[in-house]
Amino acid sequence: FCLMAAPGKVAAFRLPPLPTIGEIIKLFRLKALKQLSQNFLLDLRLTDKIVKQAGELKNAYVCEVGPGPGGITRSILSAGVEQLLLIEKDARFIPGLEMLSEAAPGKVRIIHGDILTYKMEKAFPKHLKKNWEDEPPDIHIIGNLPFSVSTPLIIKWLANVSKRDGPFIYGRTQMTLTFQKEVGERLIANPGSKQRSRLSIMAQHLCTVENCFIIPGQAFVPKPEVDVAVVHFTPLVQPKIEQPFELVEKVVQSVFQFRRKYCFRGIETLFPENGRLKRTEQLMMTADVDPTLRPFQLSMSQFRNLCNAYRKMCDEDPSLFLFNYREELRQKKMTRSLPESTSQPEQTEEEN
């Protein structure tokens, strides 16, 4: 459906009159499932605001993750997109989405599947591909993510950014996603902030991360116990740490294992017990990092130095990267049969 346009102007796409999101929920007897951490956003002014954060969507190609009853979907279609790919795991929402698809002929493609396993390499036309150094392609990922999925999904996509595959095979695809407010704060946290975490480093070394705005919990149905952050990601042309994703993740995860202790305590877990102290000192000296800094005090350049120094040590001893601190603790427990009170692996303080 198009409105008549003034001479010389492109006609704006408009959805025809449709039942409200609340009416869709009643019509199809939809209920948010607590075990899937589902929360519906019914206020179309807020869904419009989320979509606006994605940037210019006129004639763009968009993938919406977990559209649910279709609130954000309507706002995306109203923005005048060329194509909209909907990936929904919960079959209960498919009939309502099909109603939206019929209201926007030829614009909507619905996939009943799990975004964590869906292959996005062929989701969009090849002609949209751009070189990594160019401006981002006319492709956007938008989603009001269930809390249970948001962190593993962004880690998966950050790995894709690092390898330039998945949705980033087309170039520096932008993402506009929702997270628990606390997770949003971690994603943008600066050195010295108590919110600084593994997620901060993994996201910021690969992307420009912007916390756009906060949606109060009462805007959702059912009301979650926390507020929600809308976060926008644009992959960087040059990552701040130029090492493989798995290596960066291992170093960063190790550093933050004991976030309230000095950073050398976590770095020690990168090395086998035999020669651990010497190798830890060698790594800290090569990276020029003060071992008495707390993990959240380390700058991005210090993490880069640690990763580069660790990579050099792994190149000299290829077995080093395969070392697993937890496995070593388990083996010690089995072989020495220590009393229960002293044989448990030391509890880490990294966030879930």
Side-chain angles (χ1 to χ4, degrees):
F1 288 77
C2 291
L3 292 176
M4 290 298 291
K9 290 189 177 180
V10 180
F13 174 83
R14 285 286 177 89
L15 284 168
L18 288 165
T20 66
I21 300 298
E23 287 166 348
I24 291 277
I25 289 170
K26 285 179 184 174
L27 178 64
F28 295 104
R29 297 179 181 178
L30 301 174
K31 187 180 179 184
L33 297 180
K34 191 171 182 181
Q35 63 266 36
L36 297 178
S37 60
Q38 292 174 338
N39 302 96
F40 303 149
L41 189 55
L42 308 186
D43 188 337
L44 292 183
R45 290 169 302 178
L46 284 171
T47 61
D48 285 347
K49 194 175 177 183
I50 291 171
V51 170
K52 195 175 179 182
Q53 299 302 322
E56 179 54 61
L57 295 186
K58 183 76 177 166
N59 300 323
Y61 288 72
V62 176
C63 170
E64 187 190 353
V65 183
I72 294 177
T73 314
R74 295 186 186 205
S75 296
I76 295 170
L77 287 169
S78 297
V81 298
E82 182 68 24
Q83 290 285 329
L84 175 56
L85 171 65
L86 303 176
I87 301 176
E88 178 55 64
K89 184 179 180 180
D90 192 333
R92 297 175 305 142
F93 296 120
I94 302 297
L97 297 174
E98 285 172 344
M99 183 186 290
L100 272 177
S101 178
E102 289 163 12
K107 282 189 176 285
V108 180
R109 195 154 50 102
I110 302 169
I111 302 288
H112 176 212
D114 188 343
I115 189 61
L116 285 167
T117 55
Y118 180 71
K119 305 290 183 189
M120 291 190 70
E121 286 84 349
K122 296 178 181 176
F124 301 104
K126 287 182 181 177
H127 74 264
L128 295 172
K129 281 190 181 182
K130 289 201 175 183
N131 293 325
W132 195 259
E133 297 74 23
D134 295 342
E135 287 298 303
D138 224 1
I139 297 172
H140 296 262
I141 297 172
I142 299 175
N144 174 29
L145 305 175
F147 295 153
S148 60
V149 169
S150 59
T151 302
L153 184 55
I154 195 58
I155 289 292
K156 176 182 185 290
W157 275 339
L158 290 170
N160 290 143
V161 171
S162 178
K163 296 164 188 173
R164 302 181 186 182
D165 60 10
F168 307 97
I169 202 166
Y170 306 95
R172 295 185 296 121
T173 299
Q174 297 178 80
M175 301 182 284
T176 308
L177 307 167
T178 61
F179 298 88
Q180 280 180 284
K181 184 185 173 186
E182 290 77 5
V183 177
E185 289 170 348
R186 286 178 204 157
L187 284 162
I188 64 161
N190 292 317
S193 163
K194 291 294 171 73
Q195 295 289 351
R196 185 84 159 170
S197 68
R198 173 180 71 114
L199 208 51
S200 317
I201 310 303
M202 299 311 295
Q204 293 171 30
H205 104 84
L206 290 163
C207 297
T208 299
V209 188
E210 302 165 84
N211 197 338
C212 304
F213 66 98
I214 302 297
I215 304 175
Q218 59 259 33
F220 293 86
V221 178
K223 177 183 176 294
E225 294 177 5
V226 294
D227 293 338
V228 172
V230 178
V231 184
H232 184 76
F233 302 81
T234 306
L236 294 165
V237 174
Q238 285 291 123
K240 292 180 180 173
I241 304 173
E242 296 198 53
Q243 294 293 351
F245 184 85
E246 290 77 13
L247 184 140
V248 177
E249 188 175 39
K250 185 176 183 183
V251 171
V252 173
Q253 210 162 12
S254 296
V255 171
F256 278 101
Q257 277 204 60
F258 307 105
R259 60 176 291 112
R260 292 181 182 85
K261 298 184 180 179
Y262 293 145
C263 64
F264 80 85
R265 180 64 192 89
I267 288 168
E268 283 182 330
T269 65
L270 288 168
F271 304 108
E273 189 174 34
N274 184 21
R276 175 171 288 153
L277 186 59
K278 185 180 177 183
R279 282 176 148 183
T280 301
E281 287 175 354
Q282 180 189 341
L283 178 61
M284 302 296 289
M285 286 180 66
T286 306
D288 191 24
V289 172
D290 180 349
T292 63
L293 288 173
R294 311 285 177 184
F296 60 85
Q297 294 176 309
L298 296 181
S299 67
M300 188 63 75
S301 61
Q302 287 171 317
F303 272 106
R304 181 177 62 238
N305 292 349
L306 287 169
C307 291
N308 291 343
Y310 180 63
R311 170 66 184 270
K312 190 177 177 186
M313 295 173 81
C314 289
D315 287 344
E316 291 167 0
D317 177 5
S319 68
L320 185 57
F321 186 72
L322 300 174
F323 169 71
N324 184 309
Y325 176 68
R326 291 273 164 218
E327 187 58 35
E328 183 185 72
L329 288 175
R330 275 193 291 270
Q331 293 293 333
K332 282 170 70 177
K333 180 181 176 181
M334 288 168 62
T335 54
R336 295 185 183 181
S337 300
L338 291 175
E340 188 69 17
S341 60
T342 59
S343 62
Q344 290 294 318
E346 187 172 352
Q347 183 66 42
T348 69
E349 297 161 1
E350 166 66 336
E351 302 90 335
N352 186 338

